[in-house]
Short mmCIF file of all heavy atoms in Angstrom, two decimals:
data_model
loop_
_atom_site.label_atom_id
_atom_site.label_comp_id
_atom_site.label_asym_id
_atom_site.label_seq_id
_atom_site.Cartn_x
_atom_site.Cartn_y
_atom_site.Cartn_z
N ALA A 284 -16.84 7.26 -2.77
CA ALA A 284 -16.33 8.46 -3.44
C ALA A 284 -15.93 9.53 -2.44
O ALA A 284 -15.34 10.55 -2.81
CB ALA A 284 -17.39 9.03 -4.39
N HIS A 285 -16.26 9.32 -1.15
CA HIS A 285 -15.94 10.29 -0.10
C HIS A 285 -16.60 11.64 -0.43
O HIS A 285 -15.95 12.69 -0.37
CB HIS A 285 -14.43 10.45 0.04
CG HIS A 285 -13.99 10.71 1.45
ND1 HIS A 285 -14.00 9.76 2.44
CD2 HIS A 285 -13.54 11.83 2.05
CE1 HIS A 285 -13.56 10.27 3.56
NE2 HIS A 285 -13.28 11.53 3.36
N LYS A 286 -17.89 11.58 -0.74
CA LYS A 286 -18.61 12.76 -1.19
C LYS A 286 -19.89 12.93 -0.39
O LYS A 286 -20.63 11.98 -0.18
CB LYS A 286 -18.93 12.61 -2.69
CG LYS A 286 -19.64 13.78 -3.32
CD LYS A 286 -19.87 13.50 -4.79
CE LYS A 286 -20.59 14.64 -5.49
NZ LYS A 286 -20.83 14.33 -6.93
N VAL A 287 -20.14 14.17 0.07
CA VAL A 287 -21.33 14.47 0.85
C VAL A 287 -22.15 15.54 0.13
O VAL A 287 -21.59 16.54 -0.33
CB VAL A 287 -20.97 14.96 2.28
CG1 VAL A 287 -22.23 15.28 3.07
CG2 VAL A 287 -20.12 13.92 3.00
N GLU A 288 -23.45 15.31 0.04
CA GLU A 288 -24.34 16.28 -0.60
C GLU A 288 -25.53 16.56 0.30
O GLU A 288 -26.01 15.68 1.02
CB GLU A 288 -24.84 15.77 -1.95
CG GLU A 288 -23.76 15.59 -3.00
CD GLU A 288 -24.34 15.21 -4.36
OE1 GLU A 288 -25.58 15.18 -4.49
OE2 GLU A 288 -23.55 14.92 -5.28
N ARG A 289 -26.00 17.80 0.22
CA ARG A 289 -27.27 18.15 0.86
C ARG A 289 -28.08 18.99 -0.10
O ARG A 289 -27.61 20.02 -0.59
CB ARG A 289 -27.04 18.92 2.17
CG ARG A 289 -28.40 19.20 2.84
CD ARG A 289 -28.33 19.71 4.25
NE ARG A 289 -29.65 19.68 4.83
CZ ARG A 289 -30.00 20.29 5.95
NH1 ARG A 289 -29.09 20.98 6.63
NH2 ARG A 289 -31.24 20.22 6.40
N ALA A 290 -29.30 18.53 -0.36
CA ALA A 290 -30.20 19.23 -1.27
C ALA A 290 -29.52 19.53 -2.61
O ALA A 290 -29.71 20.59 -3.18
CB ALA A 290 -30.73 20.51 -0.63
N GLY A 291 -28.69 18.59 -3.06
CA GLY A 291 -28.01 18.77 -4.34
C GLY A 291 -26.70 19.52 -4.26
O GLY A 291 -25.98 19.60 -5.26
N ARG A 292 -26.38 20.11 -3.09
CA ARG A 292 -25.12 20.82 -2.93
C ARG A 292 -24.02 19.86 -2.48
O ARG A 292 -24.24 19.07 -1.57
CB ARG A 292 -25.24 21.92 -1.87
CG ARG A 292 -26.14 23.07 -2.20
CD ARG A 292 -26.07 24.14 -1.10
NE ARG A 292 -26.58 23.66 0.17
CZ ARG A 292 -25.84 23.43 1.24
NH1 ARG A 292 -24.53 23.64 1.20
NH2 ARG A 292 -26.39 23.00 2.36
N VAL A 293 -22.86 19.96 -3.09
CA VAL A 293 -21.71 19.18 -2.64
C VAL A 293 -21.06 19.93 -1.48
O VAL A 293 -20.75 21.12 -1.59
CB VAL A 293 -20.69 18.97 -3.77
CG1 VAL A 293 -19.47 18.22 -3.25
CG2 VAL A 293 -21.33 18.20 -4.92
N LEU A 294 -20.86 19.25 -0.35
CA LEU A 294 -20.33 19.89 0.85
C LEU A 294 -18.84 19.60 0.98
O LEU A 294 -18.39 18.47 0.80
CB LEU A 294 -21.05 19.37 2.10
CG LEU A 294 -22.58 19.45 2.08
CD1 LEU A 294 -23.14 18.96 3.40
CD2 LEU A 294 -23.05 20.87 1.79
N ALA A 295 -18.07 20.63 1.31
CA ALA A 295 -16.63 20.48 1.54
C ALA A 295 -16.40 20.29 3.04
O ALA A 295 -16.48 21.24 3.82
CB ALA A 295 -15.88 21.71 1.03
N LEU A 296 -16.13 19.06 3.45
CA LEU A 296 -15.93 18.73 4.85
C LEU A 296 -14.49 18.33 5.11
O LEU A 296 -13.89 17.61 4.31
CB LEU A 296 -16.84 17.58 5.28
CG LEU A 296 -18.35 17.81 5.23
CD1 LEU A 296 -19.09 16.53 5.60
CD2 LEU A 296 -18.76 18.94 6.16
N GLY A 297 -13.95 18.77 6.23
CA GLY A 297 -12.65 18.29 6.66
C GLY A 297 -12.77 16.85 7.13
O GLY A 297 -13.88 16.35 7.36
N PRO A 298 -11.66 16.14 7.30
CA PRO A 298 -11.71 14.72 7.66
C PRO A 298 -12.39 14.45 8.99
O PRO A 298 -13.09 13.45 9.14
CB PRO A 298 -10.24 14.30 7.67
CG PRO A 298 -9.46 15.57 7.75
CD PRO A 298 -10.28 16.61 7.06
N THR A 299 -12.20 15.34 9.97
CA THR A 299 -12.83 15.11 11.26
C THR A 299 -14.33 15.32 11.18
O THR A 299 -15.12 14.53 11.71
CB THR A 299 -12.23 16.04 12.33
OG1 THR A 299 -10.82 15.82 12.40
CG2 THR A 299 -12.85 15.77 13.69
N GLU A 300 -14.77 16.38 10.49
CA GLU A 300 -16.20 16.61 10.31
C GLU A 300 -16.83 15.46 9.53
O GLU A 300 -17.95 15.06 9.81
CB GLU A 300 -16.45 17.94 9.59
CG GLU A 300 -16.26 19.18 10.43
CD GLU A 300 -14.79 19.50 10.63
OE1 GLU A 300 -14.00 19.27 9.69
OE2 GLU A 300 -14.42 19.95 11.72
N TYR A 301 -16.10 14.94 8.54
CA TYR A 301 -16.61 13.81 7.75
C TYR A 301 -16.84 12.60 8.65
O TYR A 301 -17.90 11.96 8.58
CB TYR A 301 -15.62 13.47 6.64
CG TYR A 301 -16.08 12.34 5.73
CD1 TYR A 301 -16.75 12.61 4.54
CD2 TYR A 301 -15.83 11.01 6.07
CE1 TYR A 301 -17.18 11.58 3.72
CE2 TYR A 301 -16.26 9.98 5.26
CZ TYR A 301 -16.92 10.27 4.08
OH TYR A 301 -17.36 9.24 3.26
N ARG A 302 -15.88 12.28 9.52
CA ARG A 302 -16.03 11.12 10.39
C ARG A 302 -17.16 11.34 11.40
O ARG A 302 -17.91 10.40 11.71
CB ARG A 302 -14.71 10.83 11.11
CG ARG A 302 -13.62 10.30 10.21
CD ARG A 302 -12.49 9.68 11.02
NE ARG A 302 -11.88 10.61 11.95
CZ ARG A 302 -10.87 11.41 11.65
NH1 ARG A 302 -10.38 11.43 10.41
NH2 ARG A 302 -10.35 12.22 12.55
N LEU A 303 -17.29 12.55 11.92
CA LEU A 303 -18.39 12.85 12.84
C LEU A 303 -19.74 12.64 12.15
O LEU A 303 -20.64 11.99 12.69
CB LEU A 303 -18.29 14.30 13.33
CG LEU A 303 -17.36 14.59 14.50
CD1 LEU A 303 -17.24 16.09 14.71
CD2 LEU A 303 -17.87 13.93 15.77
N LEU A 304 -19.87 13.19 10.94
CA LEU A 304 -21.13 13.06 10.22
C LEU A 304 -21.41 11.60 9.86
O LEU A 304 -22.55 11.13 9.96
CB LEU A 304 -21.09 13.91 8.94
CG LEU A 304 -22.36 13.87 8.08
CD1 LEU A 304 -23.57 14.34 8.88
CD2 LEU A 304 -22.17 14.73 6.83
N GLU A 305 -20.37 10.88 9.46
CA GLU A 305 -20.54 9.47 9.12
C GLU A 305 -21.08 8.69 10.32
O GLU A 305 -22.02 7.89 10.19
CB GLU A 305 -19.20 8.89 8.67
CG GLU A 305 -19.28 7.42 8.26
CD GLU A 305 -17.93 6.90 7.81
OE1 GLU A 305 -16.90 7.24 8.46
OE2 GLU A 305 -17.88 6.14 6.83
N PHE A 306 -20.51 8.93 11.49
CA PHE A 306 -20.97 8.24 12.69
C PHE A 306 -22.42 8.60 13.02
O PHE A 306 -23.24 7.73 13.35
CB PHE A 306 -20.06 8.59 13.87
CG PHE A 306 -20.45 7.90 15.15
CD1 PHE A 306 -20.32 6.53 15.29
CD2 PHE A 306 -20.95 8.64 16.21
CE1 PHE A 306 -20.69 5.90 16.48
CE2 PHE A 306 -21.31 8.02 17.39
CZ PHE A 306 -21.18 6.65 17.53
N LEU A 307 -22.76 9.88 12.91
CA LEU A 307 -24.13 10.30 13.19
C LEU A 307 -25.12 9.74 12.17
O LEU A 307 -26.25 9.36 12.52
CB LEU A 307 -24.21 11.83 13.22
CG LEU A 307 -23.47 12.51 14.38
CD1 LEU A 307 -23.45 14.02 14.19
CD2 LEU A 307 -24.10 12.15 15.72
N LEU A 308 -24.69 9.65 10.90
CA LEU A 308 -25.56 9.08 9.86
C LEU A 308 -25.80 7.59 10.09
O LEU A 308 -26.86 7.06 9.72
CB LEU A 308 -24.93 9.29 8.48
CG LEU A 308 -25.12 10.67 7.85
CD1 LEU A 308 -24.18 10.85 6.66
CD2 LEU A 308 -26.57 10.87 7.41
N LEU A 309 -24.83 6.92 10.68
CA LEU A 309 -24.99 5.50 10.98
C LEU A 309 -25.94 5.26 12.15
O LEU A 309 -26.46 4.15 12.32
CB LEU A 309 -23.63 4.87 11.30
CG LEU A 309 -22.69 4.65 10.11
CD1 LEU A 309 -21.29 4.34 10.59
CD2 LEU A 309 -23.22 3.54 9.20
N HIS A 310 -26.18 6.32 12.96
CA HIS A 310 -27.03 6.18 14.15
C HIS A 310 -27.99 7.36 14.24
O HIS A 310 -27.93 8.14 15.20
CB HIS A 310 -26.17 6.10 15.42
CG HIS A 310 -25.12 5.04 15.37
ND1 HIS A 310 -23.85 5.27 14.86
CD2 HIS A 310 -25.14 3.73 15.75
CE1 HIS A 310 -23.14 4.16 14.95
NE2 HIS A 310 -23.90 3.22 15.47
N PRO A 311 -28.88 7.56 13.28
CA PRO A 311 -29.78 8.72 13.30
C PRO A 311 -30.70 8.70 14.52
O PRO A 311 -31.11 7.63 15.00
CB PRO A 311 -30.57 8.56 12.00
CG PRO A 311 -30.48 7.12 11.65
CD PRO A 311 -29.12 6.68 12.13
N ALA A 312 -30.97 9.91 15.02
CA ALA A 312 -31.88 10.15 16.13
C ALA A 312 -31.33 9.70 17.49
O ALA A 312 -31.97 9.90 18.51
CB ALA A 312 -33.24 9.51 15.89
N GLN A 313 -30.14 9.11 17.52
CA GLN A 313 -29.55 8.71 18.79
C GLN A 313 -28.68 9.84 19.33
O GLN A 313 -27.94 10.47 18.58
CB GLN A 313 -28.69 7.46 18.61
CG GLN A 313 -29.48 6.22 18.21
CD GLN A 313 -28.61 4.98 18.18
OE1 GLN A 313 -27.76 4.78 19.04
NE2 GLN A 313 -28.83 4.12 17.20
N VAL A 314 -28.76 10.08 20.63
CA VAL A 314 -28.00 11.13 21.27
C VAL A 314 -26.67 10.55 21.75
O VAL A 314 -26.64 9.52 22.42
CB VAL A 314 -28.76 11.73 22.46
CG1 VAL A 314 -27.93 12.82 23.14
CG2 VAL A 314 -30.10 12.29 22.00
N PHE A 315 -25.58 11.24 21.40
CA PHE A 315 -24.25 10.80 21.80
C PHE A 315 -23.56 11.90 22.59
O PHE A 315 -23.60 13.07 22.21
CB PHE A 315 -23.41 10.44 20.58
CG PHE A 315 -23.91 9.23 19.84
CD1 PHE A 315 -24.70 9.36 18.71
CD2 PHE A 315 -23.61 7.96 20.29
CE1 PHE A 315 -25.18 8.26 18.04
CE2 PHE A 315 -24.07 6.83 19.63
CZ PHE A 315 -24.86 6.98 18.50
N SER A 316 -22.91 11.50 23.66
CA SER A 316 -22.15 12.46 24.46
C SER A 316 -20.86 12.84 23.74
O SER A 316 -20.47 12.22 22.74
CB SER A 316 -21.80 11.83 25.82
OG SER A 316 -20.87 10.77 25.64
N ARG A 317 -20.19 13.87 24.25
CA ARG A 317 -18.91 14.26 23.68
C ARG A 317 -17.91 13.11 23.79
O ARG A 317 -17.09 12.89 22.90
CB ARG A 317 -18.38 15.50 24.38
CG ARG A 317 -19.22 16.76 24.10
CD ARG A 317 -18.84 17.88 25.04
NE ARG A 317 -19.60 19.10 24.77
CZ ARG A 317 -20.84 19.32 25.22
NH1 ARG A 317 -21.45 18.38 25.96
NH2 ARG A 317 -21.47 20.43 24.94
N GLU A 318 -17.96 12.38 24.91
CA GLU A 318 -17.07 11.24 25.09
C GLU A 318 -17.32 10.17 24.02
O GLU A 318 -16.37 9.58 23.48
CB GLU A 318 -17.24 10.63 26.48
CG GLU A 318 -16.72 11.49 27.62
CD GLU A 318 -17.76 12.51 28.10
OE1 GLU A 318 -18.82 12.64 27.46
OE2 GLU A 318 -17.49 13.18 29.12
#
Side-chain angles (χ1 to χ4, degrees):
H285 214 73
K286 182 179 180 181
V287 179
E288 295 186 5
R289 183 169 191 194
R292 293 185 296 110
V293 177
L294 307 182
L296 296 176
T299 303
E300 285 76 36
Y301 182 94
R302 290 196 301 272
L303 277 172
L304 180 59
E305 182 180 41
F306 181 68
L307 292 172
L308 280 167
L309 286 167
H310 307 88
Q313 295 186 40
V314 179
F315 293 98
S316 68
R317 293 168 178 82
E318 290 86 352

